[in-house]
Amino acid sequence: MATASAAALVALTPATVVAAQPQARAATPPGLSCNTGKHAIDEYTGWALCKNNGTSTQTFWVHLVCGWSPDVDGEHVTLRPGQLGQSTAHCSSLGSGIGEISVRP
């Protein structure tokens, strides 16, 4: 029985290793210049503040990787050329907090 358990563990290891590898950080969408961060008082709240430097209207939102909790997306913000806007999102307080903040088009 110990051999069967060891074989099952070995069979699961490659999938576990692949899932645990960090994903590449998403680049800021073209035409936007953005700053991201965590809220000063609430480390479970993240934000993206972006300016549309392009010549056409753009929509963006903040995406938070929340550790043990499900990932979350902030509200979609649409900016005309030259406009500035912010998207915020909040990870569940049951999780381990924000692991990564990115901007999605």
Side-chain angles (χ1 to χ4, degrees), residues 7-10 14 16 19 34 44-45 49 69 92 101:
L9 180 59
V10 171
T16 304
C34 301
Y44 290 89
T45 299
L49 178 65
S69 296
S92 167
I101 303 171

Side-chain angles (χ1 to χ4, degrees), residues 37-62:
K38 293 180 186 177
H39 190 276
I41 298 172
D42 179 6
E43 65 184 43
Y44 290 89
T45 299
W47 52 267
L49 178 65
C50 296
K51 181 177 181 184
N52 183 350
N53 296 320
T55 58
S56 61
T57 300
Q58 299 231 20
T59 300
F60 77 94
W61 60 92
V62 68

Side-chain angles (χ1 to χ4, degrees), residues 12-31:
L12 293 176
T13 302
T16 304
V17 172
V18 171
Q21 292 175 352
Q23 296 180 359
R25 185 176 182 95
T28 300

